[in-house]
Amino acid sequence: LGFQTLCFWIRNLYRERNELRAINEMLRQQQEIHAMQNDDGSATDENKQCILHSDYSGQEITIQPRSFIYVESVGNYADVCYIDNEQLTNTSIRTTIKQLKEDLSDYDFIVQCHRGFLVNLEYIESMEGSNGRLFLNLFYSDKKIPVSKAYKTTIKEALSMAFSLS
């Protein structure tokens, strides 16, 4: 029984490793395509604005949806990370992930990957994992964003859909 369990465990590790390699290759190819598209000067939705609402005293953040990188829930606050005037900006507002998810619901490139995180699929540089845990590495950020088991399939499907449509 122990040998069979070990073989099953090793087979799952290889499957997970191969799956991550395939996802990272897909991300790398998409990054090359995106770089070539940006070189020709075309920009989509560049001036479109999105308002993120606070639950407290009417505070709002107005950002361009494509500049949104991630949001992390920190207690009763959300730390919103985005690009503003070509600078990495973090702003905390008193709100919930649920409210921010609602504010950003029109943008299918922004998805939940963990109960405390929303990410922009376009800023995912790579995925890494070990022992069944997955993390997202994002451009412009050293933070490793966790992917919970509940959102693992959602993230993989969203990445496949986003990059197959591009």
Side-chain angles (χ1 to χ4, degrees), residues 86-100:
E86 299 182 21
Q87 297 251 348
L88 185 64
T89 304
N90 284 62
T91 303
S92 291
I93 61 172
R94 187 176 176 115
T95 190
T96 62
I97 289 289
K98 183 179 178 181
Q99 177 64 49
L100 291 176

PDB file of all heavy atoms in Angstrom, residues 86-100:
ATOM      1  N   GLU A  86       2.736  55.664 -14.937  1.00  0.00           N
ATOM      2  CA  GLU A  86       3.898  54.800 -15.116  1.00  0.00           C
ATOM      3  C   GLU A  86       4.638  54.505 -13.817  1.00  0.00           C
ATOM      4  O   GLU A  86       5.820  54.168 -13.831  1.00  0.00           O
ATOM      5  CB  GLU A  86       4.839  55.384 -16.172  1.00  0.00           C
ATOM      6  CG  GLU A  86       4.169  55.502 -17.534  1.00  0.00           C
ATOM      7  CD  GLU A  86       5.098  56.029 -18.604  1.00  0.00           C
ATOM      8  OE1 GLU A  86       6.324  55.940 -18.426  1.00  0.00           O
ATOM      9  OE2 GLU A  86       4.587  56.510 -19.614  1.00  0.00           O
ATOM     10  N   GLN A  87       3.952  54.621 -12.693  1.00  0.00           N
ATOM     11  CA  GLN A  87       4.532  54.315 -11.384  1.00  0.00           C
ATOM     12  C   GLN A  87       3.668  53.282 -10.683  1.00  0.00           C
ATOM     13  O   GLN A  87       2.430  53.353 -10.742  1.00  0.00           O
ATOM     14  CB  GLN A  87       4.576  55.582 -10.518  1.00  0.00           C
ATOM     15  CG  GLN A  87       5.437  56.671 -11.043  1.00  0.00           C
ATOM     16  CD  GLN A  87       6.679  56.835 -10.210  1.00  0.00           C
ATOM     17  OE1 GLN A  87       6.791  56.291  -9.136  1.00  0.00           O
ATOM     18  NE2 GLN A  87       7.626  57.596 -10.715  1.00  0.00           N
ATOM     19  N   LEU A  88       4.307  52.340 -10.001  1.00  0.00           N
ATOM     20  CA  LEU A  88       3.578  51.359  -9.209  1.00  0.00           C
ATOM     21  C   LEU A  88       2.989  52.070  -7.995  1.00  0.00           C
ATOM     22  O   LEU A  88       3.695  52.760  -7.265  1.00  0.00           O
ATOM     23  CB  LEU A  88       4.513  50.234  -8.753  1.00  0.00           C
ATOM     24  CG  LEU A  88       3.869  49.074  -8.027  1.00  0.00           C
ATOM     25  CD1 LEU A  88       2.906  48.326  -8.946  1.00  0.00           C
ATOM     26  CD2 LEU A  88       4.924  48.116  -7.509  1.00  0.00           C
ATOM     27  N   THR A  89       1.673  51.918  -7.814  1.00  0.00           N
ATOM     28  CA  THR A  89       0.967  52.622  -6.749  1.00  0.00           C
ATOM     29  C   THR A  89       0.164  51.633  -5.919  1.00  0.00           C
ATOM     30  O   THR A  89      -0.490  50.754  -6.466  1.00  0.00           O
ATOM     31  CB  THR A  89      -0.004  53.663  -7.362  1.00  0.00           C
ATOM     32  OG1 THR A  89       0.734  54.528  -8.216  1.00  0.00           O
ATOM     33  CG2 THR A  89      -0.694  54.476  -6.285  1.00  0.00           C
ATOM     34  N   ASN A  90       0.246  51.775  -4.608  1.00  0.00           N
ATOM     35  CA  ASN A  90      -0.578  50.997  -3.688  1.00  0.00           C
ATOM     36  C   ASN A  90      -1.436  51.962  -2.896  1.00  0.00           C
ATOM     37  O   ASN A  90      -0.922  52.915  -2.323  1.00  0.00           O
ATOM     38  CB  ASN A  90       0.281  50.187  -2.710  1.00  0.00           C
ATOM     39  CG  ASN A  90       0.896  48.983  -3.355  1.00  0.00           C
ATOM     40  OD1 ASN A  90       1.676  49.106  -4.283  1.00  0.00           O
ATOM     41  ND2 ASN A  90       0.540  47.816  -2.877  1.00  0.00           N
ATOM     42  N   THR A  91      -2.739  51.699  -2.877  1.00  0.00           N
ATOM     43  CA  THR A  91      -3.662  52.523  -2.128  1.00  0.00           C
ATOM     44  C   THR A  91      -4.570  51.617  -1.317  1.00  0.00           C
ATOM     45  O   THR A  91      -5.082  50.634  -1.835  1.00  0.00           O
ATOM     46  CB  THR A  91      -4.527  53.382  -3.077  1.00  0.00           C
ATOM     47  OG1 THR A  91      -3.660  54.171  -3.899  1.00  0.00           O
ATOM     48  CG2 THR A  91      -5.454  54.289  -2.306  1.00  0.00           C
ATOM     49  N   SER A  92      -4.748  51.947  -0.059  1.00  0.00           N
ATOM     50  CA  SER A  92      -5.661  51.186   0.789  1.00  0.00           C
ATOM     51  C   SER A  92      -6.976  51.920   0.913  1.00  0.00           C
ATOM     52  O   SER A  92      -6.996  53.131   1.134  1.00  0.00           O
ATOM     53  CB  SER A  92      -5.070  50.996   2.191  1.00  0.00           C
ATOM     54  OG  SER A  92      -3.976  50.123   2.137  1.00  0.00           O
ATOM     55  N   ILE A  93      -8.048  51.176   0.730  1.00  0.00           N
ATOM     56  CA  ILE A  93      -9.372  51.743   0.939  1.00  0.00           C
ATOM     57  C   ILE A  93     -10.168  50.782   1.802  1.00  0.00           C
ATOM     58  O   ILE A  93      -9.922  49.576   1.810  1.00  0.00           O
ATOM     59  CB  ILE A  93     -10.127  52.032  -0.387  1.00  0.00           C
ATOM     60  CG1 ILE A  93     -10.345  50.764  -1.204  1.00  0.00           C
ATOM     61  CG2 ILE A  93      -9.415  53.080  -1.199  1.00  0.00           C
ATOM     62  CD1 ILE A  93     -11.242  50.982  -2.419  1.00  0.00           C
ATOM     63  N   ARG A  94     -11.105  51.342   2.537  1.00  0.00           N
ATOM     64  CA  ARG A  94     -11.941  50.521   3.391  1.00  0.00           C
ATOM     65  C   ARG A  94     -13.077  49.938   2.545  1.00  0.00           C
ATOM     66  O   ARG A  94     -14.028  50.644   2.205  1.00  0.00           O
ATOM     67  CB  ARG A  94     -12.498  51.331   4.552  1.00  0.00           C
ATOM     68  CG  ARG A  94     -13.235  50.479   5.551  1.00  0.00           C
ATOM     69  CD  ARG A  94     -13.692  51.299   6.736  1.00  0.00           C
ATOM     70  NE  ARG A  94     -14.457  50.453   7.604  1.00  0.00           N
ATOM     71  CZ  ARG A  94     -14.103  50.124   8.837  1.00  0.00           C
ATOM     72  NH1 ARG A  94     -12.976  50.595   9.323  1.00  0.00           N
ATOM     73  NH2 ARG A  94     -14.848  49.342   9.559  1.00  0.00           N
ATOM     74  N   THR A  95     -12.924  48.678   2.191  1.00  0.00           N
ATOM     75  CA  THR A  95     -13.912  47.989   1.370  1.00  0.00           C
ATOM     76  C   THR A  95     -13.662  46.489   1.461  1.00  0.00           C
ATOM     77  O   THR A  95     -12.717  46.057   2.104  1.00  0.00           O
ATOM     78  CB  THR A  95     -13.862  48.484  -0.092  1.00  0.00           C
ATOM     79  OG1 THR A  95     -14.985  47.974  -0.790  1.00  0.00           O
ATOM     80  CG2 THR A  95     -12.590  48.065  -0.784  1.00  0.00           C
ATOM     81  N   THR A  96     -14.493  45.744   0.790  1.00  0.00           N
ATOM     82  CA  THR A  96     -14.357  44.291   0.793  1.00  0.00           C
ATOM     83  C   THR A  96     -13.986  43.800  -0.608  1.00  0.00           C
ATOM     84  O   THR A  96     -14.217  44.491  -1.598  1.00  0.00           O
ATOM     85  CB  THR A  96     -15.678  43.616   1.203  1.00  0.00           C
ATOM     86  OG1 THR A  96     -16.680  43.952   0.233  1.00  0.00           O
ATOM     87  CG2 THR A  96     -16.122  44.066   2.589  1.00  0.00           C
ATOM     88  N   ILE A  97     -13.452  42.600  -0.657  1.00  0.00           N
ATOM     89  CA  ILE A  97     -13.174  41.963  -1.944  1.00  0.00           C
ATOM     90  C   ILE A  97     -14.472  41.822  -2.724  1.00  0.00           C
ATOM     91  O   ILE A  97     -14.506  42.034  -3.942  1.00  0.00           O
ATOM     92  CB  ILE A  97     -12.506  40.588  -1.729  1.00  0.00           C
ATOM     93  CG1 ILE A  97     -11.078  40.752  -1.224  1.00  0.00           C
ATOM     94  CG2 ILE A  97     -12.541  39.745  -2.993  1.00  0.00           C
ATOM     95  CD1 ILE A  97     -10.085  41.269  -2.238  1.00  0.00           C
ATOM     96  N   LYS A  98     -15.550  41.499  -2.028  1.00  0.00           N
ATOM     97  CA  LYS A  98     -16.847  41.342  -2.679  1.00  0.00           C
ATOM     98  C   LYS A  98     -17.259  42.630  -3.399  1.00  0.00           C
ATOM     99  O   LYS A  98     -17.701  42.601  -4.543  1.00  0.00           O
ATOM    100  CB  LYS A  98     -17.902  40.938  -1.646  1.00  0.00           C
ATOM    101  CG  LYS A  98     -19.267  40.691  -2.224  1.00  0.00           C
ATOM    102  CD  LYS A  98     -20.239  40.265  -1.141  1.00  0.00           C
ATOM    103  CE  LYS A  98     -21.630  40.055  -1.711  1.00  0.00           C
ATOM    104  NZ  LYS A  98     -22.592  39.660  -0.682  1.00  0.00           N
ATOM    105  N   GLN A  99     -17.103  43.794  -2.733  1.00  0.00           N
ATOM    106  CA  GLN A  99     -17.448  45.078  -3.343  1.00  0.00           C
ATOM    107  C   GLN A  99     -16.546  45.375  -4.540  1.00  0.00           C
ATOM    108  O   GLN A  99     -17.016  45.804  -5.591  1.00  0.00           O
ATOM    109  CB  GLN A  99     -17.344  46.214  -2.320  1.00  0.00           C
ATOM    110  CG  GLN A  99     -17.613  47.593  -2.901  1.00  0.00           C
ATOM    111  CD  GLN A  99     -19.025  47.768  -3.428  1.00  0.00           C
ATOM    112  OE1 GLN A  99     -19.974  47.442  -2.742  1.00  0.00           O
ATOM    113  NE2 GLN A  99     -19.147  48.260  -4.656  1.00  0.00           N
ATOM    114  N   LEU A 100     -15.248  45.121  -4.393  1.00  0.00           N
ATOM    115  CA  LEU A 100     -14.327  45.382  -5.499  1.00  0.00           C
ATOM    116  C   LEU A 100     -14.598  44.456  -6.677  1.00  0.00           C
ATOM    117  O   LEU A 100     -14.526  44.868  -7.834  1.00  0.00           O
ATOM    118  CB  LEU A 100     -12.878  45.232  -5.034  1.00  0.00           C
ATOM    119  CG  LEU A 100     -12.399  46.313  -4.072  1.00  0.00           C
ATOM    120  CD1 LEU A 100     -10.999  46.018  -3.595  1.00  0.00           C
ATOM    121  CD2 LEU A 100     -12.486  47.687  -4.704  1.00  0.00           C
TER     122      LEU A 100
END
